[in-house]
């Protein structure tokens, strides 16, 4: 999926492209909208655009960086979503794979998952490390499902 294939959202796409072209990137962006509106897809495509090694038409979906971000295998890209504590890595990978297959509908197998403080501590741990590429990108899907401790810990990072 390339940036062109994000359905609608022309104004946000233009804003993000201009920010990158002019070198005026902010340290955080907030994508909001109803479920299925493409906010996660736009955030992932923006991450691809940041890492893409193509000269024009970024993200290209052809370079290694675009492909690694698209498969959630890039070392500087972290995608967090609500899940129960102690969820096996295999289940987490299954959900990420469902997002690769259908970027507008992530698989949600649990009734009331939360983003717990341990996940935010993971963000804090990796955020102090120097990125291997240009940037470190963290996408937090459904941030409204953070518990209070996690939300407070995230505020300290931001």
């Amino acid at each position: 999926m390339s940036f062109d294939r994000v359905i609608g959202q022309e104004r946000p796409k233009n804003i993000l492209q201009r920010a990158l072209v002019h070198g005026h990137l902010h340290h955080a962006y907030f994508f909001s909208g109803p479920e299925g509106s493409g906010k996660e897809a736009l955030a992932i495509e923006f991450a691809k655009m940041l890492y893409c090694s193509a000269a024009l038409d970024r993200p290209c979906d052809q370079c290694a960086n675009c492909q690694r971000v698209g498969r959630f295998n890039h070392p500087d890209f972290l995608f967090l979503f609500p899940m129960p504590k102690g969820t096996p890595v295999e289940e987490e990978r299954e959900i990420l794979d469902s997002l690769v297959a259908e970027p507008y509908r992530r698989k949600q197998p649990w009734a009331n998952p939360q983003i717990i403080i341990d996940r935010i501590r993971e963000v804090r741990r990796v955020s102090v490390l120097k990125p291997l590429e240009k940037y470190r990108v963290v996408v937090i899907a459904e941030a409204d499902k953070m518990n209070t401790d996690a939300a407070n810990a995230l505020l300290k990072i931001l």
Side-chain angles (χ1 to χ4, degrees):
M1 181 174 195
S2 72
F3 209 56
D4 299 350
R5 293 180 12 207
V6 173
I7 300 169
Q9 311 223 14
E10 296 306 318
R11 185 168 183 258
K13 288 192 292 189
N14 289 334
I15 289 169
L16 296 172
Q17 285 174 328
R18 279 196 316 264
L20 185 63
V21 167
H22 297 299
H24 293 138
L25 294 171
H26 296 282
H27 74 283
Y29 287 92
F30 181 72
F31 297 86
S32 177
E35 186 177 335
S37 64
K39 57 189 174 288
E40 290 178 16
L42 182 62
I44 293 165
E45 293 305 311
F46 182 52
K48 283 185 192 178
M49 190 168 70
L50 291 171
Y51 293 118
C52 186
S53 58
L56 300 171
D57 294 328
R58 294 164 67 177
C60 68
D61 273 342
Q62 303 301 316
C63 69
N65 287 335
C66 285
Q67 291 178 3
R68 288 189 303 169
V69 171
R71 290 188 312 261
F72 302 97
N73 288 330
H74 196 285
D76 293 328
F77 179 63
L78 183 62
F79 188 88
L80 297 179
F81 56 90
M83 60 185 181
K85 187 175 184 174
T87 301
V89 175
E90 295 81 21
E91 281 187 52
E92 182 179 358
R93 186 72 236 175
E94 182 181 327
I95 292 178
L96 291 175
D97 289 342
S98 77
L99 191 55
V100 169
E102 179 58 50
Y104 287 89
R105 189 182 349 204
R106 178 172 30 90
K107 184 178 177 183
Q108 297 179 348
W110 308 292
N112 291 315
Q114 289 187 332
I115 297 175
I116 58 174
I117 192 166
D118 293 339
R119 298 295 303 231
I120 302 303
R121 286 180 180 145
E122 179 184 350
V123 171
R124 181 175 23 165
R125 182 185 57 76
V126 299
S127 66
V128 297
L129 302 173
K130 184 178 178 184
L132 298 172
E133 304 277 333
K134 298 183 250 184
Y135 307 103
R136 176 149 338 263
V137 176
V138 178
V139 174
I140 302 175
E142 298 183 73
D144 58 317
K145 293 191 178 174
M146 275 189 251
N147 63 25
T148 305
D149 293 337
N152 288 334
L154 180 63
L155 286 174
K156 291 178 183 176
I157 295 170
L158 292 176

